[in-house]
Every structure is written in C-alpha cells, then in structure tokens.
Amino acid sequence: MSPQNLVVIGASLAGLRAAEAARKAGFSGTITMVGAEHHLPYDRPPLSKAYLDGVEPKAPYFRTEEKLRDDLGVELLLGASATGLDTANKQVLLGESRLDYDALVIATGATARRLPGVAGLAGVHTLRTLDDAMAVRGALDAGARTVVVGCGFIGSEVASGARKRGLEVTVVEAQPTPLARAVGDEMGRVCAKLHHRHGTDLRCGVGVERIEGEGRVERVVLSDGTAIDADLVVVGIGAEPNTEWLAGSGLALDDGVVCDEYLCAGDGIYAAGDVARWHNPLFDRAMRLEHWTSAAEQAAVAARNAVHPAEAKPYRTVPYFWSDWYDSRIQFVGIPAAEEVRIVEGDPARDRRVVALYREGDRLVGALTINGQNVIMKFRGLIMKGASWADAVAFAEQRRAVAASA
Ligand SMILES: Cc1cc2nc3c(=O)[nH]c(=O)nc-3n(C[C@H](O)[C@H](O)[C@H](O)COP(=O)(O)OP(=O)(O)OC[C@H]3O[C@@H](n4cnc5c(N)ncnc54)[C@H](O)[C@@H]3O)c2cc1C
C-alpha cells in the first residue's frame, strides 16, 4: 500500500522542498513537518551575505505560515525536536510523545562547530541560524572590531560584510592555505587574494590559543603569541550533521545518515540535505554535501521516492556551490580531488575573472570560476556528460576567444 502519512524532520530548505515535491508528485496524504527552531523555514545563504549589509534586513522566510498550511497542506510543529526513532513501530519520538509515520524524510541538516572554552562569553558567535545572524549583524552595526576564526566560505563572507562597512577584520586560519579541502591548494590561494585586495588581515598557519575577556570578548590570543583586540568573534570552522537523535535507531550513521543512491536509509526512511551521506553514482563514491543546490535537489528526490517507492529514482549530481566575497562571486562544480588544476582564463594577480579546470586521469572533474557566472554551468554539464579533459580545455579556449573578441 502506498504511504499515506509522510513525516519530515527538519523545517528548513530540505524539509520544505521535500513537502513541496511530495505534493507535486500527487501525494494527498498527511504531511507533518517538525522543526527544532521556532522560525518558519528560511533560507540560509543570505544570512552571511545581504543580511549582514548595512541596509535594513528582510528575514529570508520561504513561505508564510498560511501558505504552508493552506497551499501545501503541511502540519507544522515548530520549536519541537525529534529525540529518537523507533523503526520497528515506525514512530518518531518527540520527548514524551510519539509521531507515527509510514514514510519519513530526515532533513535535520547540520550544526556549526564551536570552539571549546568560550561558552557564555558574549560577542563570540557561530553563523548558522537566523538568530546567529541577528546577533552578528547587531555587533557589526555597533562597529565591532571583528575576528573571524576559519577562512572557509561562511567566515570569508562575514569578513567581506564587515569590510564593506569599513570595519577592521582579521581572519585566522589554522591551515597554511585556506579552502584546500573545498577547492584545492592552488585555487585556495587564489581565493585568499580577494581578502588581501580588500584590506582584510588574513593570517594562515596559525591557530587560536584562547579567547579572553571578562564576560565579553576582548581579545583573541593566537598560537604564535599575538593578541588581537576584538569586539566580535565569528567562528566558522565547519559543521557537524545533526544525527545524535538517531543514535540507537539502527540506522547507519557515519558523518551523516548513510543512504543508498535512492537516498534511502531504511524501511520507508529517506534523508536529504546536509545530514545525508549518499552514494553518488556519478562519481561512484559516498558524499555528504553542505550545499544549497544539492539539499534542494535531494529533498525533491527523497520525497518522491518516499511517497512512490515503487518508482524510486537514484540521485546523481555534479556538486555545485557558490559564495560571494566582496564584489566577486566564487562558484565551484564537481570535486576538487585532481591530478592537475589549470587556469584557463584570467590572471589571478590582475583579473577579476578567473576560470580553472580540474583534471583526474583524462576527465574533467571540476571547475572553479571567479566572476564566471556565464560559464560555470556549462562546465557542470560537461562533467555530467563525462567530458574528456581535451574537450573541456578546447571548450574553455573557445569561450575565451569569443570573450576576447567581443
Ligand atoms: C550562513 C550560511 C550561508 C550559506 N551560504 C551558502 C551559499 O552561498 N551557497 C551554497 O551552496 N550553500 C550555502 N549554505 C549552505 C546551505 O544553506 C545548506 O546546504 C542548506 O541550508 C541545507 O539545508 P538543510 O535543510 O539540509 O539543513 P539546515 O538548513 O541545516 O536545516 C535543518 C533544520 O533541521 C532542524 N533540526 C535539527 N535537528 C532537529 C531535530 N532533532 N528535530 C527537529 N528539527 C531539527 C534545524 O534546527 C534546522 O532548522 C550556507 C549555509 C549557511 C549556514
């Protein structure tokens, strides 16, 4: 019998897209969405971008409560955390109460990693939620001297937002090269130049020894002994998938909920978004992505597979993310593990626009652009089709020639 009772745990991007996709696929049963935050589902990328700018911010909610209830027919339980999963009885535990499901989508996302020893120290924040963003924005409004710990994408966007307001910003990165895991060493160095160009003090290869202050942050002491005065510290050192509530449920957990290529994690159970680790058939490997596009796409596939299991389809994708730093957009498609990275357009020392390709064997496996919005998706398409390295380089040459003659 097809499922009649869909439960979605997590009321953010993946949770919402799952509900939308289930309805689009003709599901007419009940949908209950449970979210730990008190907010309606909202969009996270603006939190480290437009939301931090000087202009009056708009809370980035996807839909009103009425639209969720009346148009999508979703019963929302906000401010409620799933605390366990009983797969034998097909029930989600919410503290003392239990919620029956016959199809379940797990979309509990991830939580920002924190630095130890700073609990209760005012002025030290992570940036994952709307509440975090409000606090960071308030500090920037007050003209905070800002220290960002970790030169990842979110930390770099915070630095960029602070510099746009003319504030002093230092970014501390423990690794010798920023973003090495995300885009490789060479292009990590290229991206880092954007910080130098915009007056951000980027210090790599040095850790944070401790954060000092009487009740409120006053300075950050680095492992080389340097002390940086600070009113605001934003910690951007990655995120952990929210799987604690699934401990003991029998689901396989390994840095995320382990799923097959159908995003299936167990009997009637699917996962999507930042919490899901699934087998991506396109690269024949397990992946867990923390990217907006894959969270939305996975949710749609997971929900369709959950409500129509007999017609389940695998989810295959070329990973994609973007990030906005200062006046530049960085975009990446594919995977950064490469034998060769070749800059095929632009001189990073001089030009605003840079295009780099990533080779593994004789295949194109990745592409990074800075201000290359009109070309990045072409490379995503080439990777999807399994294009050869020679074809990809020839395509890039042709695009460059066309751009130069325009
Ligand atoms: C500041 C910021 C900027 C970003 N910018 C970009 C960008 O520029 N480009 C890009 O590609 N990606 C970006 N991302 C990543 C993107 O936003 C995420 O990939 C996306 O939000 C993942 O959606 P999700 O629904 O899987 O998880 P989340 O958005 O993390 O949502 C999970 C929800 O589940 C809830 N939850 C957790 N545990 C439970 C529980 N036990 N019971 C009930 N509810 C629970 C959480 O409270 C949360 O509301 C950014 C992320 C952040 C934080």
Side-chain angles (χ1 to χ4, degrees):
M1 211 178 77
S2 37
Q4 285 308 311
N5 183 13
L6 172 64
V7 170
V8 178
I9 305 296
S12 181
L13 173 65
L16 176 65
R17 291 288 184 263
E20 290 170 343
R23 289 294 183 227
K24 206 162 165 212
F27 179 70
S28 58
T30 57
I31 301 181
T32 310
M33 193 189 292
V34 180
E37 292 181 73
H38 289 275
H39 298 289
L40 290 168
Y42 60 86
D43 206 16
R44 290 182 206 272
L47 301 182
S48 48
K49 303 177 182 67
Y51 202 83
L52 299 185
D53 285 355
V55 286
E56 191 56 35
K58 238 178 65 199
Y61 295 116
F62 288 113
R63 285 177 184 240
T64 61
E65 192 169 351
E66 293 69 38
K67 289 212 157 116
L68 283 165
R69 191 183 53 226
D70 303 338
D71 298 357
L72 262 192
V74 167
E75 190 193 335
L76 263 181
L77 299 179
L78 295 180
S81 287
T83 50
L85 178 65
D86 175 349
T87 54
N89 293 305
K90 293 202 158 190
Q91 289 177 325
V92 175
L93 279 57
L94 303 172
E96 294 302 302
S97 60
R98 287 174 171 251
L99 189 60
D100 293 318
Y101 67 85
D102 41 30
L104 177 68
V105 174
I106 296 171
T108 45
T111 299
R113 251 182 232 128
R114 292 170 192 277
L115 280 180
V118 291
L121 196 60
V124 181
H125 300 279
T126 51
L127 181 42
R128 179 81 201 177
T129 65
L130 184 52
D131 297 338
D132 295 337
M134 288 191 233
V136 170
R137 188 191 153 84
L140 295 177
D141 283 346
R145 293 163 301 173
T146 304
V147 173
V148 174
V149 181
C151 187
F153 290 107
I154 291 176
S156 293
E157 289 183 345
V158 172
S160 158
R163 284 301 298 147
K164 279 188 195 162
R165 293 161 173 255
L167 302 176
E168 268 176 49
V169 186
T170 306
V171 177
V172 181
E173 168 57 53
Q175 299 301 315
T177 310
L179 300 171
R181 252 189 48 230
V183 299
D185 280 334
E186 185 179 350
M187 295 316 292
R189 275 192 293 275
V190 169
C191 293
K193 285 195 171 66
L194 292 173
H195 284 311
H196 298 138
R197 241 181 254 164
H198 289 85
T200 293
D201 180 2
L202 171 61
R203 304 192 191 181
C204 293
V206 63
V208 170
E209 189 67 30
R210 62 186 179 277
I211 299 183
E212 293 180 344
E214 289 294 319
R216 152 162 292 284
V217 58
E218 289 168 24
R219 73 195 69 78
V220 178
V221 180
L222 306 186
S223 53
D224 63 4
T226 323
I228 309 167
D229 291 337
D231 311 300
L232 167 69
V233 174
V234 179
V235 179
I237 54 172
E240 308 274 0
N242 289 322
T243 56
E244 331 68 56
W245 67 282
L246 294 165
S249 65
L251 295 193
L253 305 175
D254 177 13
D255 182 34
V257 177
V258 178
C259 305
D260 63 14
E261 65 256 52
Y262 299 92
L263 297 165
C264 183
D267 180 19
I269 304 170
Y270 294 77
D274 288 10
V275 78
R277 170 173 293 281
W278 96 114
H279 186 83
N280 185 350
L282 199 65
F283 292 90
D284 192 23
R285 68 189 70 174
M287 294 183 173
R288 186 177 71 79
L289 303 175
E290 291 180 7
H291 308 334
W292 193 98
T293 305
S294 48
E297 291 172 353
Q298 284 175 349
V301 174
R304 282 197 303 267
N305 291 349
V307 297
H308 297 307
E311 296 147 39
K313 293 202 170 56
Y315 175 62
R316 33 191 283 131
T317 197
V318 175
Y320 163 67
F321 65 82
W322 80 95
S323 185
D324 294 335
W325 300 19
Y326 310 98
D327 51 358
S328 290
R329 171 158 287 197
I330 298 169
Q331 289 167 291
F332 185 84
V333 291
I335 53 171
E339 288 162 12
E340 179 187 353
V341 177
R342 191 182 298 177
I343 296 178
V344 290
E345 190 180 334
D347 174 350
R350 203 185 54 217
D351 298 323
R352 281 195 74 239
R353 177 176 161 109
V354 175
V355 178
L357 301 183
Y358 293 63
R359 176 181 69 76
E360 183 79 356
D362 63 352
R363 302 273 124 190
L364 174 73
V365 293
L368 181 143
T369 61
I370 303 178
N371 300 315
Q373 287 92 323
N374 62 350
V375 79
I376 189 75
M377 287 304 163
K378 310 260 186 231
F379 290 114
R380 194 178 189 212
L382 287 177
I383 299 169
M384 191 68 150
K385 284 194 287 198
S388 71
W389 176 249
D391 285 352
V393 171
F395 173 77
E397 293 291 340
Q398 186 200 347
R399 293 290 301 208
R400 192 176 55 178
V402 170
S405 66

